[in-house]
Amino acid sequence: MILRTPPPKKQRSETRDPGSLLVASSDLPLVIYEDPPSAAPPPQPSSGEHLLCTYQCRQMVKSDFFDALSCAEKQVDDYQSRSKALEENFSKVEAERKQILDRFLDSEQELAAAKGREQALQEQLLKEVKLRNEMNLRLKADASKASAEEKASIFERKLSNLSESIEKEKKRLHNEIELLERDSKLSVSRKSADLERMECRAINAEEESGLLKEQLEDLKKQLTECMHQKSEVEKKLSSFTFQEASSTDSNILVKHLQEELRNYESEVREARKLRSSRENIELLKEKLSEEKGRRERAEGELSKLHEFQMSMKKLEDELSSWKLMIKEIPGVSCSEDIPVKFAALQKEVIDCMMKEGDANARLKQMEVALDAVQSGKHIAETEAAFAKEKAEESKSEVKRIEVMLSMITEERDKLRDLVNEFKRLKNDEAGDETVSGTLIQELESSLAKKESCIKGLESSLHEQKKVNTRQSEEIKLLNERLNNEARRIKSLERESDRLRSEISLLESKLGHGDYSSANTKVLRMVNTLAVDNEAKQTIEALQNELQKTKEKLQAVEELRSQSGNAGKLVDSYISGKVVQLKEQIATLEKREERYKTVFADRISVFRRACCELFGYKIVMDEHQRANGIPVTRFTLQSIYAQGDDEKLEFEYESGNTIILANDYTSQPEISHQVDIFIRKLNSIPAFTANLTVESFNRRTLS
Amino acid sequence: MASRTVAKDIITLRGSAAIVSEFFGYAANSILYNRGVYPEESFAKVKKYGLPMLLTQDEGVKSFIASLTAQLSEWLESGKLQRIVLVIMSKATNEVLERWNFSIETDGEVVEKGVSREKSDKEIMREIQAIMRQIASSITYLPCLDEPCVFDVLAYTDKDVAIPFTWIESDPKLIANPQMVKLHSFDTKIHKVDTLVSYKNDEWDEQ
C-alpha cells in the first residue's frame, strides 16, 4: 500500500483550472487560453481580440487537452491500478501484520513458557546442587566406609593371623600333651610290664621258696627222723654198751646217719644261702630296673626340656609380636580389648552399610530426578529448536517485510514524483480535471494512510527485532544450560552405573550368605543325624577306654596289695591319674549301664518283632574258626517247628551268609530245598519263607 | 493349608506359613534325592504340586525334617524368619559343598494387624511347581558329589528370637568364592520366597 498525501483540493469558484476549460460546452463563448492567474497577468487583450480564435488553435488546444486528458486518464488508470495493487499489498501487509502479531503473541507465550521452563530449570539446578552436595556427602561417607572397611579388613587379617597362630599353638600344645600322655601311657605300660615281670619273678621266687621250704621241711623231717633214729640208736647203743660189746654195724649206721645229717645240714645251709642270694639278686635286679627306668625318664625329660625351652622361646617371641601388634592397633591395650574393638569395627561397618542403604535410597531418588531432568531436557531442547525455527521464520518474514517496505517506499516515492509532476502539469494545463483531482486526492489520502501503516509496521518490526534478539540471547543461554545439564547427566549416569555395580556386589554378598549380626542370628538343630552317629562312636570309644582302664586298675591294685615297695615306687602323677581314671570309670560305667539297659530293651523289642514278623527266633553268637578269624553265627528256629532239633545255622562274615550243615538240613526234604533256593537261586529269604509255609501247613494239618 | 472361604482364595498368615514350611519340607526331600545324599531306594514317590515328589522313608531324616518344619512354621507366623539354608557337606572333611538358600520376605502389615491377602491357590502351586522342576534339573549344571555327604539346615532369624531347646547358634557355613545360580521365586502375598543355590567351584570348571 502506498500512501500519498493528496494535494489540497482547489476550489472551483476561486480558481479555474485550465482543465476545467475543457469541460466547457460550445455554447459558452470561446475563451482564449490564458495563463493561470499566478502567472504574470497577461496584458488585457482587447475585447474583440479574445474572442478571436482560430479553429486550428482551438483544435490544437483541444487535441492537446485531449492528449493531456488521455495521458492523465492513463495516469489515473495507472494510479488506480497502482492503488489497487497498493491496496492489495496493503491488505497482504495487513494480513502479514496480523500473522506477525499472532506470531508475536505466540512468541510472547513461548517466552513466558521459556521463562517458566527457565524457572523450572533453575529449580532443577537447585535440586542438582542439592544432589551434588548429597553426592559429595555420600562420596565422603563412601570414602570413610572404604577406609573403615580397609581398617576392618586389616584388623580382620591380623585377627585371623592371631587366631591361626593361636590355633597352631593350641595344636602344638595338644600334640605335646598327646605325646606326654603317650609317654605317660608308655611309662605306665612299661611299669606295668615291669610290675608283671616282678610279679612273675615274685611268683617264681615264691614257688622256689615254697619248694625250698618243702625241701627244708622234708630235710627237717628227715633230720628229726634221723635225730630220733640217732637217739633211739644211742639209747639202744647205751643199752647195748651195758650189756655186751657194741656191734660195728650200729657205729657205722650212726656214722652214716651223722654224715647224712651233716650233708643235710650243709644242703640246708646251701639252700638258705641260695635263697638269700636269690633274694639279693632279685632286689638288685629291681633296683637296676628302677635305675634304668629313672635314667630313661630323665633322658626323655631332658630331651623334652630342650623342646619345651624351644617352644617357650617361640611362644615368648610370638607373645611379644602379638603385644606389638596389639600396640599397633589403635584403642587396644590388651588382648581382651581386641574383641571389643572388633565389635566396634563391626558396628562401624554396619553403620556404613546402613548409610550405604540410605545412599542407595537417595540414589534411587536421584535416578528418578535424573529421569525427570532428562525428560525436561528433551522437552526444553525440542522447544528451543522450535523457538529457533520460529525465530528464523520471523527473521525471514521480517526481512521479507523490510524488502516489501523498501519496495513500497520506492513506489511511493515514484508515485509522489509522478503526483508532483502531475500537479505541475495540472497547474500548467487548464481544463476540467475534477474527477482526476478527486481521484488523486483519494490516492493521496490512501497514500497517507499507507504511509502511516508503514510507519506502524516499521515500529512493530523494530520491536520484533528487539524481541528476536532477546529470544536469541535467551536461546543461547538455554543452550549453554542444556550443555551443562547434559554433562551433569553423564556424570550422574556414570555414578549410577558404579552404584548399580556396587548394589550387584552387595546382592551377590547377600546371596553368598553374609548377614548383619546386629539384626540376624544363625541357628541349627542340635539333634541332628550326625550327632547321633557321633554319640554312638564316642560311646564305643569310651567303652574301649573303660575296659583298658579297668584292667590297668586291677593290675595296679594287685601289685599294691602284694608288695608295698612296688606301691612306693609308683609316682604321685600315676596315682593322681589313677584317681581321675577311677572317676571316669565310674561315670562311664553308669553310662554303660544306662546304654545297656536301653539297648537291652530295644534289642528285645527288635527280636520279638523279628520273630513275630518273620516267624523265626534268631540267636546270634560269635565264634572263631580254626584259623582264628572271628565269625558271627546265626541260629534260626521257626515258631512252627515241631522239635528243638529243627534249627538252621548260618555264618555271616563281611556281608556273606553261608548256611551250615547240620542234622536238620541234612534231611532229604530240607537239603532239596537248600539246593534249589540257596545254591541255585541264591535266595535265603525264599528258603526260609518256603520253610515257614511248609511248617505252618504241617502244624495246621496236624 | 491356607484358610479359604467357600469360593475365594484368601490367604491368612497361618495358612501362608503352612504353605512355606510344607514347601521347604518337599524341597529338602527333593534336594536330598537329586543330589544323592541318601540312596534312591530310601525314597518313596508321592503326588504333590501336580508333580511326582520323592519323600525319604528313613525315620531319622523324616523326624528331623518334621520337627524342623514345625519350628519354621512357628517362626514364619511370628514373622521372625529371614532365611532358611540347606547345607550339604562332605562327611569326611565337613567341607561345605552346596548351599540351597531360601530367602523370605514377610509382609509386616499382615503380622502386625492380622489382615489377610488374596491370591489364587493355583497360581501359588504353579510357582512352586516351577521351583521344584528347577531343583530337579539342577543336576545338569551342579558338580557331581562323588563322596559321601551329610546335610544340615540353618535358620536365619531376628536377633530377638528366643532359641528353642533343640536349637543352638551356629556359624553360617559359607563357601569361599562360590558359583551362584538364582532360581524362581514364589509369593503368597504374605511371604515371598526367593531360591538361590551356591556351590563350590568344581576343579574341572576352574581349569
Side-chain angles (χ1 to χ4, degrees):
Chain A
M1 189 180 72
I2 298 163
L3 292 173
R4 289 196 180 124
T5 53
K9 282 186 182 177
K10 291 176 186 174
Q11 291 180 359
R12 272 191 189 175
S13 58
E14 291 178 357
T15 55
R16 250 191 174 181
D17 288 328
S20 61
L21 291 170
L22 295 169
V23 183
S25 59
S26 58
D27 293 333
L28 293 171
L30 189 66
V31 178
I32 297 168
Y33 178 73
E34 290 176 350
D35 288 328
S38 60
Q44 284 191 353
S46 59
S47 60
E49 285 180 359
H50 75 274
L51 294 172
L52 290 168
C53 184
T54 60
Y55 181 76
Q56 282 181 352
C57 183
R58 223 188 286 162
Q59 290 296 324
M60 277 174 67
V61 166
K62 263 191 189 175
S63 66
D64 289 336
F65 184 75
F66 281 127
D67 288 337
L69 187 75
S70 65
C71 288
E73 281 177 355
K74 280 177 189 174
Q75 282 177 0
V76 163
D77 289 334
D78 286 335
Y79 286 140
Q80 279 178 353
S81 64
R82 278 181 189 173
S83 68
K84 279 180 187 173
L86 282 171
E87 280 175 2
E88 285 172 8
N89 288 331
F90 182 70
S91 63
K92 281 180 190 175
V93 166
E94 276 187 352
E96 286 174 0
R97 187 177 70 81
K98 281 178 187 174
Q99 284 178 3
I100 287 164
L101 272 171
D102 293 333
R103 282 174 189 167
F104 179 69
L105 290 169
D106 291 336
S107 61
E108 276 185 351
Q109 285 175 1
E110 282 165 12
L111 256 175
K115 280 179 184 172
R117 276 171 228 141
E118 193 185 336
Q119 283 177 357
L121 283 167
Q122 282 176 356
E123 286 170 6
Q124 282 175 1
L125 276 167
L126 286 168
K127 281 181 189 174
E128 282 169 8
V129 165
K130 283 180 189 174
L131 284 168
R132 256 194 209 169
N133 293 333
E134 283 178 2
M135 290 296 286
N136 291 331
L137 283 169
R138 196 180 58 75
L139 285 167
K140 284 177 190 171
D142 289 339
S144 64
K145 177 196 145 191
S147 64
E149 280 180 358
E150 283 174 8
K151 283 180 189 172
S153 64
I154 291 163
F155 288 138
E156 279 179 5
R157 273 178 235 156
K158 286 181 181 173
L159 273 166
S160 63
N161 292 333
L162 277 169
S163 60
E164 282 173 7
S165 59
I166 287 163
E167 282 177 4
K168 282 178 189 171
E169 280 305 313
K170 275 183 187 173
K171 280 178 188 172
R172 264 186 234 167
L173 288 166
H174 278 300
N175 292 332
E176 285 172 3
I177 288 162
E178 282 172 6
L179 284 167
L180 283 168
E181 283 178 359
R182 276 179 213 163
D183 292 335
S184 66
K185 281 177 186 173
L186 278 169
S187 63
V188 163
S189 63
R190 274 183 210 160
K191 278 178 186 166
S192 63
D194 292 336
L195 277 166
E196 283 170 2
R197 267 183 244 159
M198 276 164 57
E199 279 176 20
C200 294
R201 282 175 193 162
I203 290 162
N204 291 331
E206 280 177 8
E207 285 173 0
E208 285 179 7
S209 65
L211 285 168
L212 286 167
K213 277 179 187 174
E214 285 172 2
Q215 283 179 5
L216 233 181
E217 284 174 3
D218 290 333
L219 286 167
K220 276 183 182 174
K221 280 179 189 173
Q222 284 178 7
L223 227 181
T224 49
E225 285 177 6
C226 291
M227 290 299 285
H228 277 299
Q229 284 176 6
K230 182 187 170 186
S231 61
E232 282 173 4
V233 163
E234 279 177 359
K235 279 178 189 174
K236 280 179 185 175
L237 267 170
S238 62
S239 62
F240 280 137
T241 51
F242 281 119
Q243 289 171 5
E244 278 193 2
S246 57
S247 60
T248 54
D249 293 333
S250 62
N251 286 332
I252 292 163
L253 260 171
V254 166
K255 280 181 188 176
H256 278 301
L257 284 167
Q258 281 177 354
E259 282 176 6
E260 281 177 6
L261 261 171
R262 280 175 213 151
N263 289 331
Y264 285 143
E265 282 175 4
S266 64
E267 281 177 5
V268 164
R269 275 180 222 147
E270 283 175 5
R272 280 181 188 164
K273 279 180 191 173
L274 272 169
R275 190 179 155 194
S276 63
S277 65
R278 271 185 189 162
E279 284 174 1
N280 291 330
I281 287 162
E282 282 168 8
L283 279 168
L284 284 168
K285 279 182 183 174
E286 283 175 10
K287 282 179 186 174
L288 237 182
S289 62
E290 282 171 19
E291 291 300 319
K292 278 181 186 173
R294 279 180 192 163
R295 197 189 72 185
E296 285 170 3
R297 258 184 275 152
E299 283 172 1
E301 281 168 7
L302 267 172
S303 63
K304 283 173 194 171
L305 232 185
H306 287 295
E307 290 174 3
F308 279 133
Q309 281 176 352
M310 296 290 288
S311 63
M312 281 296 291
K313 279 179 189 174
K314 283 178 191 172
L315 282 168
E316 282 174 1
D317 294 334
E318 283 182 13
L319 260 171
S320 61
S321 66
W322 289 345
K323 281 178 185 172
L324 285 168
M325 279 165 73
I326 285 164
K327 280 178 191 172
E328 284 173 15
I329 297 167
V332 172
S333 59
C334 63
S335 60
E336 293 172 353
D337 295 338
I338 289 170
V340 174
K341 183 75 180 174
F342 194 64
L345 284 168
Q346 278 182 338
K347 280 179 192 172
E348 282 182 16
V349 165
I350 288 157
D351 293 334
C352 289
M353 284 176 77
M354 298 266 283
K355 284 177 190 173
E356 196 180 329
D358 295 335
N360 285 331
R362 280 177 206 161
L363 213 193
K364 283 181 184 171
Q365 289 175 1
M366 274 162 56
E367 282 177 356
V368 168
L370 238 180
D371 295 332
V373 163
Q374 278 180 343
S375 62
K377 175 195 157 192
H378 283 301
I379 292 164
E381 280 176 353
T382 51
E383 284 172 356
F386 191 60
K388 269 185 189 175
E389 287 175 4
K390 282 184 182 176
E392 285 175 2
E393 283 177 9
S394 61
K395 276 183 189 173
S396 63
E397 282 178 10
V398 160
K399 281 179 187 173
R400 264 183 258 155
I401 289 162
E402 281 177 353
V403 164
M404 291 282 286
L405 260 173
S406 62
M407 282 171 63
I408 288 162
T409 49
E410 285 175 5
E411 287 181 7
R412 185 195 65 190
D413 293 333
K414 281 180 191 172
L415 284 169
R416 271 188 185 164
D417 294 334
L418 283 168
V419 162
N420 290 329
E421 285 176 8
F422 192 66
K423 277 182 186 174
R424 282 179 214 151
L425 284 169
K426 270 200 308 187
N427 289 329
D428 291 336
E429 288 177 1
D432 198 2
E433 293 178 345
T434 55
V435 174
S436 62
T438 57
L439 282 170
I440 287 162
Q441 281 177 4
E442 284 172 4
L443 283 171
E444 282 178 356
S445 65
S446 67
L447 271 170
K449 281 180 192 173
K450 282 175 186 174
E451 279 179 0
S452 65
C453 289
I454 286 164
K455 280 180 185 173
L457 279 172
E458 281 176 353
S459 64
S460 68
L461 263 171
H462 280 296
E463 286 173 6
Q464 208 161 10
K465 272 184 186 175
K466 284 178 191 172
V467 164
N468 282 334
T469 52
R470 265 183 244 157
Q471 278 184 350
S472 63
E473 283 170 10
E474 284 173 0
I475 286 161
K476 280 178 190 173
L477 283 169
L478 282 171
N479 280 329
E480 284 174 5
R481 280 176 191 169
L482 273 168
N483 291 329
N484 292 332
E485 280 180 14
R487 275 177 229 152
R488 277 170 209 160
I489 284 160
K490 280 179 188 172
S491 66
L492 284 170
E493 281 173 357
R494 273 179 238 147
E495 283 176 7
S496 69
D497 288 334
R498 191 174 61 80
L499 288 166
R500 269 174 210 154
S501 64
E502 283 182 15
I503 286 162
S504 64
L505 271 169
L506 288 166
E507 281 177 352
S508 68
K509 277 183 185 174
L510 276 170
H512 176 242
D514 292 337
Y515 62 98
S516 167
S517 59
N519 304 326
T520 311
K521 59 185 173 188
V522 182
L523 305 173
R524 54 182 272 273
M525 273 185 81
V526 169
N527 292 327
T528 58
L529 305 160
V531 169
D532 291 334
N533 292 330
E534 285 172 7
K536 284 177 190 170
Q537 287 171 9
T538 52
I539 286 163
E540 287 173 4
L542 285 168
Q543 281 176 346
N544 292 331
E545 280 182 23
L546 223 182
Q547 282 177 356
K548 285 176 188 172
T549 50
K550 268 187 182 174
E551 287 167 7
K552 283 179 188 174
L553 258 175
Q554 281 173 2
V556 168
E557 280 174 1
E558 281 173 7
L559 280 166
R560 273 191 180 167
S561 62
Q562 282 171 7
S563 57
N565 292 330
K568 283 178 189 174
L569 295 170
V570 173
D571 289 336
S572 60
Y573 171 74
I574 293 166
S575 62
K577 235 191 169 180
V578 163
V579 168
Q580 283 177 14
L581 287 168
K582 275 187 181 176
E583 287 169 6
Q584 280 182 13
I585 285 159
T587 53
L588 286 168
E589 280 177 356
K590 284 178 194 170
R591 258 191 228 171
E592 193 189 17
E593 282 172 13
R594 258 183 273 153
Y595 289 141
K596 274 182 183 174
T597 50
V598 168
F599 182 75
D601 290 335
R602 302 301 295 169
I603 204 70
S604 65
V605 166
F606 181 76
R607 276 185 179 166
R608 268 179 251 149
C610 281
C611 181
E612 287 184 6
L613 287 167
F614 299 107
Y616 284 94
K617 289 177 196 169
I618 303 170
V619 176
M620 191 170 86
D621 290 323
E622 294 288 334
H623 287 269
Q624 261 197 358
R625 283 190 187 153
N627 51 12
I629 295 168
V631 148
T632 310
R633 192 173 282 185
F634 292 93
T635 308
L636 274 68
Q637 191 179 18
S638 174
I639 55 176
Y640 302 114
Q642 289 175 338
D644 288 338
D645 297 328
E646 293 180 1
K647 285 182 184 174
L648 299 167
E649 289 175 354
F650 295 91
E651 263 188 11
Y652 179 83
E653 183 196 349
S654 62
N656 295 325
T657 313
I658 307 162
I659 187 165
L660 298 173
N662 60 11
D663 295 333
Y664 180 58
T665 55
S666 59
Q667 289 175 15
E669 295 171 355
I670 308 297
S671 65
H672 181 63
Q673 288 181 32
V674 166
D675 286 332
I676 292 168
F677 286 105
I678 294 175
R679 297 216 172 106
K680 282 184 188 171
L681 300 174
N682 195 24
S683 172
I684 292 172
F687 166 69
T688 53
N690 189 47
L691 204 62
T692 307
V693 168
E694 283 185 2
S695 47
F696 173 74
N697 289 334
R698 253 183 265 149
R699 253 238 165 126
T700 49
L701 284 170
S702 65
Chain B
M1 299 297 290
S3 59
R4 295 175 194 141
T5 55
V6 175
K8 298 184 178 62
D9 296 337
I10 293 172
I11 312 284
T12 61
L13 177 62
R14 183 167 283 187
S16 178
I19 290 169
V20 174
S21 55
E22 192 182 45
F23 157 76
F24 178 74
Y26 280 94
N29 273 282
S30 180
I31 291 164
L32 293 175
Y33 173 77
N34 282 300
R35 302 307 291 139
V37 180
Y38 288 94
E40 292 178 9
E41 51 268 19
S42 65
F43 287 86
K45 217 177 258 190
V46 297
K47 193 93 178 184
K48 188 72 181 174
Y49 307 121
L51 296 168
M53 303 294 300
L54 287 144
L55 289 181
T56 183
Q57 301 303 299
D58 186 325
E59 286 302 323
V61 180
K62 243 190 198 177
S63 64
F64 173 73
I65 291 175
S67 57
L68 188 80
T69 49
Q71 184 60 55
L72 294 177
S73 182
E74 198 181 306
W75 279 332
L76 284 164
E77 283 181 36
S78 63
K80 300 284 186 187
L81 189 62
Q82 298 174 9
R83 220 189 293 193
I84 311 165
V85 179
L86 189 142
V87 179
I88 296 175
M89 303 175 286
S90 164
K91 192 172 184 177
T93 61
N94 260 353
E95 185 190 6
V96 180
L97 301 172
E98 282 180 18
R99 288 180 103 252
W100 291 79
N101 186 81
F102 300 90
S103 304
I104 297 163
E105 285 177 37
T106 308
D107 188 345
E109 190 188 355
V110 174
V111 176
E112 282 168 26
K113 295 179 186 173
V115 295
S116 58
R117 297 277 186 251
E118 284 187 9
K119 185 160 180 179
S120 165
D121 278 347
K122 277 185 184 173
E123 199 179 331
I124 294 170
M125 198 179 84
R126 217 169 339 110
E127 289 171 4
I128 292 173
Q129 205 185 77
I131 297 171
M132 292 300 184
R133 284 184 204 277
Q134 282 192 312
I135 290 170
S137 65
S138 65
I139 56 170
T140 57
Y141 56 84
L142 290 175
C144 290
L145 301 174
D146 297 322
E147 51 186 327
C149 294
V150 292
F151 81 100
D152 205 348
V153 177
L154 308 176
Y156 286 58
T157 63
D158 290 353
K159 197 77 178 169
D160 58 348
V161 157
I163 302 174
F165 181 65
T166 53
W167 290 71
I168 51 167
E169 286 206 43
S170 165
D171 66 301
K173 296 187 192 294
L174 301 176
I175 300 173
N177 298 320
Q179 289 279 0
M180 283 184 275
V181 177
K182 200 169 183 326
L183 306 183
H184 288 312
S185 59
F186 80 92
D187 189 2
T188 64
K189 296 288 185 188
I190 295 174
H191 294 104
K192 189 183 174 202
V193 180
D194 290 310
T195 313
L196 181 137
V197 58
S198 55
Y199 55 96
K200 186 187 158 198
N201 266 321
D202 199 2
E203 290 172 1
W204 292 104
D205 292 339
E206 284 175 356
Q207 286 169 9

